[in-house]
Amino acid sequence: MYGGIIVDMKKMDRIISIDEESFILTAQPGINGYRLEKELNKKGFTLGHYPASVYGATLGGYIAARGAGTLSTKYGKAEDMIISLEAVSAQGEIFRTLPVPNHACGPSLLQLYVGSEGTLGIITEISIKIEPLPQIRKFNAFLFKDVRDGLEAGRRMMTEKRLRPNTIRLYDESSSDRIVKKVLGLDLKGCYMVVGAEGAEAQVLLEMKQIEEVCVALQGRELGPESGEHWWNHRYDFYFPPFNLMLPELTGTVETTTTYDKIYSIHLKKKEAIEVGFKDWNAKYIAHFSHWFPWGVMTYDRFIIPVPPEDPEEALQLHNAIWAKAARTSLAHGGILNDHHGIGFKLGWLMPEQYGTAWPIMQSIKDALDPAGIMNPGKFGFIKRF
């Protein structure tokens, strides 16, 4: 967008080694995620990273954008899974981070490059943890009367019980009615939640029992394992025709992540900001909560304009206005700009607002590592000083 070149890494697609003692994979960044998973499965392992983009995404893409897979609640996001990396700096120097991610040897150079989206250098090799294929995988589903009860159920699983479910996915009323009904064929009134566990059989059975106890205590109506397994088997259908959101509707995913004490308020405030703030366009707001942590949860929320302006420029202006309003609403109520889709150019201009007085420090890191400003100029809102 602001000059420069595109470096296509997809031919650097080799698996270099699989350490079956330490459970560490080392591979080049261009390897396709689906192919990588299949190769690991042959040896009895899994990466445990199943993003909706798995058929087209690469291992390098997972790391460069801090990606999250469907099972991130158990296995972690990309930044939790990576062990070390090799990269080429903007000045052409090849370097490696320390061979382990946890240490007391100063700040983490590794995490500086995770999520850097090509602004600080080019990742050329990745070592990442892998997991043994689970003995069993089980699912269940519940229906809550409102999203607040569902959020509390998820919070209790992750905090008070310290469970490690592979999945907790809670759909708000609007998303349950519009998306879940269409994809899964479930005509439900309320908030649909699918929960799962995987691993050793005894561990999984215990986790599923505790999950059920938590949900029932909050008046969650059990829908049964078949409903949960049906979701798992059709989890990618949500992102492909005819089930995905597509033209002529105008849509955008305005996700955020925050701590448990703020998530319900953010949900209400963003719904109001979109549906009331843009009611002249009959704006709709839908959300689900899909990546859970010991400290909080993310919301994968979207706006929908059923009949957008016919003029392309007017449609783009409306799209950007809604996105800006939603993002700033997240920031104003304790959320951040993004959980796992990256920042790129779309949200880069809001990064100074996100970081506040820390933003000049971020810019100084960019200046030090890329003094010529040649690495993805303009991304993240970084300015070229020289």
mmCIF file of all heavy atoms in Angstrom, residues 194-233:
data_model
loop_
_atom_site.group_PDB
_atom_site.id
_atom_site.type_symbol
_atom_site.label_atom_id
_atom_site.label_comp_id
_atom_site.label_asym_id
_atom_site.label_seq_id
_atom_site.Cartn_x
_atom_site.Cartn_y
_atom_site.Cartn_z
ATOM 1 N N VAL A 194 -21.571 -24.923 23.198
ATOM 2 C CA VAL A 194 -20.967 -26.231 22.997
ATOM 3 C C VAL A 194 -19.686 -26.280 23.824
ATOM 4 O O VAL A 194 -18.923 -25.313 23.860
ATOM 5 C CB VAL A 194 -20.697 -26.521 21.504
ATOM 6 C CG1 VAL A 194 -19.765 -25.493 20.894
ATOM 7 C CG2 VAL A 194 -20.119 -27.921 21.314
ATOM 8 N N VAL A 195 -19.492 -27.404 24.531
ATOM 9 C CA VAL A 195 -18.335 -27.588 25.393
ATOM 10 C C VAL A 195 -17.759 -28.970 25.125
ATOM 11 O O VAL A 195 -18.499 -29.925 24.898
ATOM 12 C CB VAL A 195 -18.699 -27.460 26.883
ATOM 13 C CG1 VAL A 195 -17.439 -27.356 27.739
ATOM 14 C CG2 VAL A 195 -19.581 -26.264 27.133
ATOM 15 N N GLY A 196 -16.433 -29.076 25.148
ATOM 16 C CA GLY A 196 -15.815 -30.368 24.904
ATOM 17 C C GLY A 196 -14.567 -30.568 25.747
ATOM 18 O O GLY A 196 -14.046 -29.632 26.361
ATOM 19 N N ALA A 197 -14.100 -31.804 25.761
ATOM 20 C CA ALA A 197 -12.856 -32.135 26.447
ATOM 21 C C ALA A 197 -12.190 -33.267 25.680
ATOM 22 O O ALA A 197 -12.857 -34.052 25.007
ATOM 23 C CB ALA A 197 -13.118 -32.554 27.891
ATOM 24 N N GLU A 198 -10.875 -33.343 25.759
ATOM 25 C CA GLU A 198 -10.146 -34.410 25.082
ATOM 26 C C GLU A 198 -8.852 -34.707 25.824
ATOM 27 O O GLU A 198 -8.336 -33.883 26.565
ATOM 28 C CB GLU A 198 -9.852 -34.053 23.629
ATOM 29 C CG GLU A 198 -8.959 -32.853 23.426
ATOM 30 C CD GLU A 198 -8.768 -32.545 21.947
ATOM 31 O OE1 GLU A 198 -9.758 -32.263 21.255
ATOM 32 O OE2 GLU A 198 -7.602 -32.592 21.495
ATOM 33 N N GLY A 199 -8.356 -35.928 25.602
ATOM 34 C CA GLY A 199 -7.137 -36.361 26.258
ATOM 35 C C GLY A 199 -7.276 -37.780 26.753
ATOM 36 O O GLY A 199 -7.951 -38.607 26.126
ATOM 37 N N ALA A 200 -6.686 -38.076 27.917
ATOM 38 C CA ALA A 200 -6.825 -39.397 28.530
ATOM 39 C C ALA A 200 -8.265 -39.609 28.973
ATOM 40 O O ALA A 200 -8.927 -38.681 29.447
ATOM 41 C CB ALA A 200 -5.878 -39.527 29.713
ATOM 42 N N GLU A 201 -8.757 -40.824 28.838
ATOM 43 C CA GLU A 201 -10.188 -41.096 29.064
ATOM 44 C C GLU A 201 -10.647 -40.697 30.460
ATOM 45 O O GLU A 201 -11.678 -40.025 30.610
ATOM 46 C CB GLU A 201 -10.479 -42.575 28.823
ATOM 47 C CG GLU A 201 -11.959 -42.912 28.964
ATOM 48 C CD GLU A 201 -12.285 -44.338 28.557
ATOM 49 O OE1 GLU A 201 -11.351 -45.090 28.219
ATOM 50 O OE2 GLU A 201 -13.473 -44.706 28.578
ATOM 51 N N ALA A 202 -9.906 -41.077 31.486
ATOM 52 C CA ALA A 202 -10.329 -40.767 32.850
ATOM 53 C C ALA A 202 -10.421 -39.258 33.078
ATOM 54 O O ALA A 202 -11.354 -38.759 33.714
ATOM 55 C CB ALA A 202 -9.361 -41.399 33.849
ATOM 56 N N GLN A 203 -9.446 -38.534 32.551
ATOM 57 C CA GLN A 203 -9.430 -37.078 32.687
ATOM 58 C C GLN A 203 -10.629 -36.455 31.979
ATOM 59 O O GLN A 203 -11.297 -35.565 32.510
ATOM 60 C CB GLN A 203 -8.136 -36.532 32.101
ATOM 61 C CG GLN A 203 -8.098 -35.024 31.952
ATOM 62 C CD GLN A 203 -6.994 -34.569 31.004
ATOM 63 O OE1 GLN A 203 -6.099 -35.346 30.668
ATOM 64 N NE2 GLN A 203 -7.048 -33.340 30.573
ATOM 65 N N VAL A 204 -10.914 -36.908 30.776
ATOM 66 C CA VAL A 204 -12.006 -36.339 29.983
ATOM 67 C C VAL A 204 -13.350 -36.584 30.649
ATOM 68 O O VAL A 204 -14.201 -35.685 30.734
ATOM 69 C CB VAL A 204 -11.989 -36.922 28.557
ATOM 70 C CG1 VAL A 204 -13.258 -36.546 27.795
ATOM 71 C CG2 VAL A 204 -10.758 -36.439 27.812
ATOM 72 N N LEU A 205 -13.576 -37.795 31.147
ATOM 73 C CA LEU A 205 -14.851 -38.115 31.793
ATOM 74 C C LEU A 205 -15.065 -37.255 33.032
ATOM 75 O O LEU A 205 -16.180 -36.784 33.295
ATOM 76 C CB LEU A 205 -14.893 -39.601 32.153
ATOM 77 C CG LEU A 205 -14.886 -40.572 30.963
ATOM 78 C CD1 LEU A 205 -14.874 -42.011 31.454
ATOM 79 C CD2 LEU A 205 -16.071 -40.323 30.037
ATOM 80 N N LEU A 206 -13.992 -37.028 33.776
ATOM 81 C CA LEU A 206 -14.093 -36.183 34.962
ATOM 82 C C LEU A 206 -14.391 -34.736 34.573
ATOM 83 O O LEU A 206 -15.252 -34.077 35.177
ATOM 84 C CB LEU A 206 -12.801 -36.262 35.768
ATOM 85 C CG LEU A 206 -12.732 -35.379 37.026
ATOM 86 C CD1 LEU A 206 -13.835 -35.750 38.004
ATOM 87 C CD2 LEU A 206 -11.363 -35.511 37.694
ATOM 88 N N GLU A 207 -13.687 -34.225 33.554
ATOM 89 C CA GLU A 207 -13.919 -32.843 33.115
ATOM 90 C C GLU A 207 -15.347 -32.655 32.616
ATOM 91 O O GLU A 207 -15.999 -31.654 32.924
ATOM 92 C CB GLU A 207 -12.930 -32.463 32.018
ATOM 93 C CG GLU A 207 -11.556 -32.082 32.542
ATOM 94 C CD GLU A 207 -10.686 -31.427 31.487
ATOM 95 O OE1 GLU A 207 -10.629 -31.931 30.350
ATOM 96 O OE2 GLU A 207 -10.054 -30.402 31.804
ATOM 97 N N MET A 208 -15.843 -33.596 31.827
ATOM 98 C CA MET A 208 -17.196 -33.467 31.286
ATOM 99 C C MET A 208 -18.236 -33.491 32.399
ATOM 100 O O MET A 208 -19.257 -32.784 32.323
ATOM 101 C CB MET A 208 -17.466 -34.578 30.276
ATOM 102 C CG MET A 208 -16.639 -34.470 28.992
ATOM 103 S SD MET A 208 -16.830 -32.894 28.115
ATOM 104 C CE MET A 208 -18.528 -33.008 27.545
ATOM 105 N N LYS A 209 -18.002 -34.277 33.435
ATOM 106 C CA LYS A 209 -18.926 -34.310 34.573
ATOM 107 C C LYS A 209 -18.942 -32.968 35.287
ATOM 108 O O LYS A 209 -20.007 -32.440 35.644
ATOM 109 C CB LYS A 209 -18.515 -35.424 35.535
ATOM 110 C CG LYS A 209 -19.458 -35.618 36.727
ATOM 111 C CD LYS A 209 -19.027 -36.803 37.565
ATOM 112 C CE LYS A 209 -20.020 -37.062 38.696
ATOM 113 N NZ LYS A 209 -20.082 -35.958 39.666
ATOM 114 N N GLN A 210 -17.763 -32.379 35.483
ATOM 115 C CA GLN A 210 -17.703 -31.088 36.163
ATOM 116 C C GLN A 210 -18.290 -29.975 35.304
ATOM 117 O O GLN A 210 -18.920 -29.051 35.821
ATOM 118 C CB GLN A 210 -16.251 -30.783 36.540
ATOM 119 C CG GLN A 210 -15.713 -31.697 37.621
ATOM 120 C CD GLN A 210 -14.323 -31.304 38.076
ATOM 121 O OE1 GLN A 210 -13.426 -31.105 37.266
ATOM 122 N NE2 GLN A 210 -14.131 -31.200 39.385
ATOM 123 N N ILE A 211 -18.077 -30.053 34.000
ATOM 124 C CA ILE A 211 -18.669 -29.075 33.081
ATOM 125 C C ILE A 211 -20.189 -29.121 33.183
ATOM 126 O O ILE A 211 -20.857 -28.070 33.261
ATOM 127 C CB ILE A 211 -18.201 -29.348 31.638
ATOM 128 C CG1 ILE A 211 -16.741 -28.916 31.461
ATOM 129 C CG2 ILE A 211 -19.100 -28.632 30.627
ATOM 130 C CD1 ILE A 211 -16.104 -29.410 30.179
ATOM 131 N N GLU A 212 -20.741 -30.309 33.190
ATOM 132 C CA GLU A 212 -22.196 -30.460 33.298
ATOM 133 C C GLU A 212 -22.701 -29.871 34.608
ATOM 134 O O GLU A 212 -23.723 -29.163 34.628
ATOM 135 C CB GLU A 212 -22.567 -31.939 33.203
ATOM 136 C CG GLU A 212 -24.066 -32.194 33.323
ATOM 137 C CD GLU A 212 -24.406 -33.670 33.326
ATOM 138 O OE1 GLU A 212 -23.519 -34.506 33.040
ATOM 139 O OE2 GLU A 212 -25.586 -34.001 33.621
ATOM 140 N N GLU A 213 -22.002 -30.128 35.698
ATOM 141 C CA GLU A 213 -22.424 -29.610 37.001
ATOM 142 C C GLU A 213 -22.452 -28.085 37.005
ATOM 143 O O GLU A 213 -23.388 -27.467 37.528
ATOM 144 C CB GLU A 213 -21.485 -30.124 38.094
ATOM 145 C CG GLU A 213 -21.628 -31.614 38.368
ATOM 146 C CD GLU A 213 -20.577 -32.139 39.336
ATOM 147 O OE1 GLU A 213 -19.691 -31.337 39.752
ATOM 148 O OE2 GLU A 213 -20.613 -33.329 39.679
ATOM 149 N N VAL A 214 -21.432 -27.466 36.416
ATOM 150 C CA VAL A 214 -21.378 -26.007 36.356
ATOM 151 C C VAL A 214 -22.547 -25.449 35.552
ATOM 152 O O VAL A 214 -23.229 -24.504 35.975
ATOM 153 C CB VAL A 214 -20.041 -25.541 35.744
ATOM 154 C CG1 VAL A 214 -20.086 -24.045 35.412
ATOM 155 C CG2 VAL A 214 -18.892 -25.824 36.694
ATOM 156 N N CYS A 215 -22.789 -26.029 34.379
ATOM 157 C CA CYS A 215 -23.841 -25.515 33.492
ATOM 158 C C CYS A 215 -25.230 -25.706 34.092
ATOM 159 O O CYS A 215 -26.071 -24.792 34.047
ATOM 160 C CB CYS A 215 -23.754 -26.191 32.126
ATOM 161 S SG CYS A 215 -22.274 -25.754 31.186
ATOM 162 N N VAL A 216 -25.495 -26.859 34.670
ATOM 163 C CA VAL A 216 -26.813 -27.129 35.262
ATOM 164 C C VAL A 216 -27.064 -26.211 36.460
ATOM 165 O O VAL A 216 -28.181 -25.736 36.676
ATOM 166 C CB VAL A 216 -26.913 -28.616 35.662
ATOM 167 C CG1 VAL A 216 -28.169 -28.871 36.494
ATOM 168 C CG2 VAL A 216 -26.933 -29.499 34.416
ATOM 169 N N ALA A 217 -26.013 -25.921 37.222
ATOM 170 C CA ALA A 217 -26.160 -25.027 38.375
ATOM 171 C C ALA A 217 -26.588 -23.624 37.962
ATOM 172 O O ALA A 217 -27.188 -22.884 38.757
ATOM 173 C CB ALA A 217 -24.851 -24.962 39.153
ATOM 174 N N LEU A 218 -26.309 -23.259 36.716
ATOM 175 C CA LEU A 218 -26.692 -21.936 36.195
ATOM 176 C C LEU A 218 -27.879 -22.034 35.248
ATOM 177 O O LEU A 218 -28.076 -21.191 34.385
ATOM 178 C CB LEU A 218 -25.486 -21.298 35.489
ATOM 179 C CG LEU A 218 -24.393 -20.827 36.454
ATOM 180 C CD1 LEU A 218 -23.063 -20.667 35.747
ATOM 181 C CD2 LEU A 218 -24.801 -19.516 37.124
ATOM 182 N N GLN A 219 -28.709 -23.061 35.454
ATOM 183 C CA GLN A 219 -29.933 -23.282 34.686
ATOM 184 C C GLN A 219 -29.687 -23.518 33.197
ATOM 185 O O GLN A 219 -30.537 -23.207 32.345
ATOM 186 C CB GLN A 219 -30.933 -22.126 34.861
ATOM 187 C CG GLN A 219 -31.621 -22.084 36.219
ATOM 188 C CD GLN A 219 -30.724 -21.586 37.336
ATOM 189 O OE1 GLN A 219 -30.152 -20.508 37.235
ATOM 190 N NE2 GLN A 219 -30.593 -22.372 38.388
ATOM 191 N N GLY A 220 -28.513 -24.047 32.890
ATOM 192 C CA GLY A 220 -28.267 -24.442 31.505
ATOM 193 C C GLY A 220 -28.984 -25.751 31.210
ATOM 194 O O GLY A 220 -28.823 -26.723 31.952
ATOM 195 N N ARG A 221 -29.769 -25.779 30.150
ATOM 196 C CA ARG A 221 -30.496 -27.000 29.771
ATOM 197 C C ARG A 221 -29.622 -27.860 28.886
ATOM 198 O O ARG A 221 -29.179 -27.424 27.828
ATOM 199 C CB ARG A 221 -31.800 -26.642 29.045
ATOM 200 C CG ARG A 221 -32.576 -27.870 28.561
ATOM 201 C CD ARG A 221 -33.996 -27.517 28.210
ATOM 202 N NE ARG A 221 -34.110 -26.644 27.055
ATOM 203 C CZ ARG A 221 -34.194 -27.080 25.787
ATOM 204 N NH1 ARG A 221 -34.175 -28.376 25.525
ATOM 205 N NH2 ARG A 221 -34.318 -26.213 24.796
ATOM 206 N N GLU A 222 -29.367 -29.095 29.326
ATOM 207 C CA GLU A 222 -28.495 -29.985 28.573
ATOM 208 C C GLU A 222 -29.170 -30.429 27.283
ATOM 209 O O GLU A 222 -30.301 -30.914 27.289
ATOM 210 C CB GLU A 222 -28.119 -31.203 29.414
ATOM 211 C CG GLU A 222 -27.100 -32.096 28.739
ATOM 212 C CD GLU A 222 -26.667 -33.268 29.610
ATOM 213 O OE1 GLU A 222 -27.226 -33.421 30.719
ATOM 214 O OE2 GLU A 222 -25.774 -34.027 29.177
ATOM 215 N N LEU A 223 -28.468 -30.252 26.162
ATOM 216 C CA LEU A 223 -28.973 -30.668 24.861
ATOM 217 C C LEU A 223 -28.419 -32.018 24.438
ATOM 218 O O LEU A 223 -28.927 -32.640 23.511
ATOM 219 C CB LEU A 223 -28.640 -29.615 23.801
ATOM 220 C CG LEU A 223 -29.190 -28.213 24.056
ATOM 221 C CD1 LEU A 223 -28.706 -27.258 22.967
ATOM 222 C CD2 LEU A 223 -30.706 -28.213 24.120
ATOM 223 N N GLY A 224 -27.342 -32.445 25.094
ATOM 224 C CA GLY A 224 -26.816 -33.774 24.855
ATOM 225 C C GLY A 224 -25.602 -33.817 23.958
ATOM 226 O O GLY A 224 -25.318 -32.890 23.192
ATOM 227 N N PRO A 225 -24.852 -34.944 24.044
ATOM 228 C CA PRO A 225 -23.615 -35.095 23.271
ATOM 229 C C PRO A 225 -23.809 -34.993 21.766
ATOM 230 O O PRO A 225 -22.941 -34.463 21.062
ATOM 231 C CB PRO A 225 -23.126 -36.493 23.667
ATOM 232 C CG PRO A 225 -23.758 -36.760 24.992
ATOM 233 C CD PRO A 225 -25.084 -36.080 24.954
ATOM 234 N N GLU A 226 -24.921 -35.495 21.249
ATOM 235 C CA GLU A 226 -25.130 -35.467 19.795
ATOM 236 C C GLU A 226 -25.144 -34.042 19.268
ATOM 237 O O GLU A 226 -24.613 -33.761 18.192
ATOM 238 C CB GLU A 226 -26.422 -36.183 19.426
ATOM 239 C CG GLU A 226 -26.349 -37.700 19.574
ATOM 240 C CD GLU A 226 -27.597 -38.389 19.073
ATOM 241 O OE1 GLU A 226 -28.501 -37.683 18.562
ATOM 242 O OE2 GLU A 226 -27.677 -39.619 19.200
ATOM 243 N N SER A 227 -25.746 -33.137 20.019
ATOM 244 C CA SER A 227 -25.788 -31.729 19.603
ATOM 245 C C SER A 227 -24.384 -31.138 19.571
ATOM 246 O O SER A 227 -24.021 -30.400 18.651
ATOM 247 C CB SER A 227 -26.684 -30.924 20.546
ATOM 248 O OG SER A 227 -26.686 -29.562 20.197
ATOM 249 N N GLY A 228 -23.569 -31.469 20.576
ATOM 250 C CA GLY A 228 -22.197 -30.973 20.604
ATOM 251 C C GLY A 228 -21.339 -31.568 19.505
ATOM 252 O O GLY A 228 -20.564 -30.869 18.850
ATOM 253 N N GLU A 229 -21.470 -32.870 19.267
ATOM 254 C CA GLU A 229 -20.697 -33.536 18.218
ATOM 255 C C GLU A 229 -21.107 -33.046 16.834
ATOM 256 O O GLU A 229 -20.270 -32.941 15.926
ATOM 257 C CB GLU A 229 -20.876 -35.047 18.332
ATOM 258 C CG GLU A 229 -20.167 -35.628 19.554
ATOM 259 C CD GLU A 229 -20.607 -37.037 19.868
ATOM 260 O OE1 GLU A 229 -21.371 -37.613 19.058
ATOM 261 O OE2 GLU A 229 -20.187 -37.572 20.918
ATOM 262 N N HIS A 230 -22.400 -32.723 16.679
ATOM 263 C CA HIS A 230 -22.877 -32.182 15.402
ATOM 264 C C HIS A 230 -22.185 -30.849 15.116
ATOM 265 O O HIS A 230 -21.796 -30.576 13.976
ATOM 266 C CB HIS A 230 -24.395 -32.007 15.441
ATOM 267 C CG HIS A 230 -25.000 -31.641 14.126
ATOM 268 N ND1 HIS A 230 -24.891 -32.422 13.003
ATOM 269 C CD2 HIS A 230 -25.734 -30.549 13.746
ATOM 270 C CE1 HIS A 230 -25.522 -31.852 11.997
ATOM 271 N NE2 HIS A 230 -26.034 -30.704 12.420
ATOM 272 N N TRP A 231 -22.025 -30.026 16.158
ATOM 273 C CA TRP A 231 -21.299 -28.757 15.977
ATOM 274 C C TRP A 231 -19.859 -29.029 15.531
ATOM 275 O O TRP A 231 -19.351 -28.392 14.607
ATOM 276 C CB TRP A 231 -21.293 -27.962 17.289
ATOM 277 C CG TRP A 231 -20.427 -26.740 17.206
ATOM 278 C CD1 TRP A 231 -20.778 -25.509 16.757
ATOM 279 C CD2 TRP A 231 -19.027 -26.664 17.534
ATOM 280 N NE1 TRP A 231 -19.697 -24.662 16.792
ATOM 281 C CE2 TRP A 231 -18.609 -25.348 17.264
ATOM 282 C CE3 TRP A 231 -18.097 -27.579 18.038
ATOM 283 C CZ2 TRP A 231 -17.302 -24.919 17.485
ATOM 284 C CZ3 TRP A 231 -16.791 -27.156 18.257
ATOM 285 C CH2 TRP A 231 -16.404 -25.843 17.980
ATOM 286 N N TRP A 232 -19.172 -29.956 16.197
ATOM 287 C CA TRP A 232 -17.775 -30.258 15.865
ATOM 288 C C TRP A 232 -17.648 -30.713 14.414
ATOM 289 O O TRP A 232 -16.759 -30.272 13.690
ATOM 290 C CB TRP A 232 -17.231 -31.320 16.812
ATOM 291 C CG TRP A 232 -15.864 -31.823 16.462
ATOM 292 C CD1 TRP A 232 -15.554 -33.026 15.904
ATOM 293 C CD2 TRP A 232 -14.611 -31.126 16.619
ATOM 294 N NE1 TRP A 232 -14.192 -33.145 15.719
ATOM 295 C CE2 TRP A 232 -13.590 -31.990 16.145
ATOM 296 C CE3 TRP A 232 -14.263 -29.884 17.131
ATOM 297 C CZ2 TRP A 232 -12.241 -31.632 16.161
ATOM 298 C CZ3 TRP A 232 -12.910 -29.532 17.140
ATOM 299 C CH2 TRP A 232 -11.926 -30.384 16.670
ATOM 300 N N ASN A 233 -18.527 -31.554 13.984
ATOM 301 C CA ASN A 233 -18.460 -32.097 12.626
ATOM 302 C C ASN A 233 -18.782 -31.055 11.566
ATOM 303 O O ASN A 233 -18.426 -31.230 10.393
ATOM 304 C CB ASN A 233 -19.400 -33.291 12.482
ATOM 305 C CG ASN A 233 -18.946 -34.483 13.299
ATOM 306 O OD1 ASN A 233 -17.757 -34.679 13.528
ATOM 307 N ND2 ASN A 233 -19.900 -35.284 13.774
#
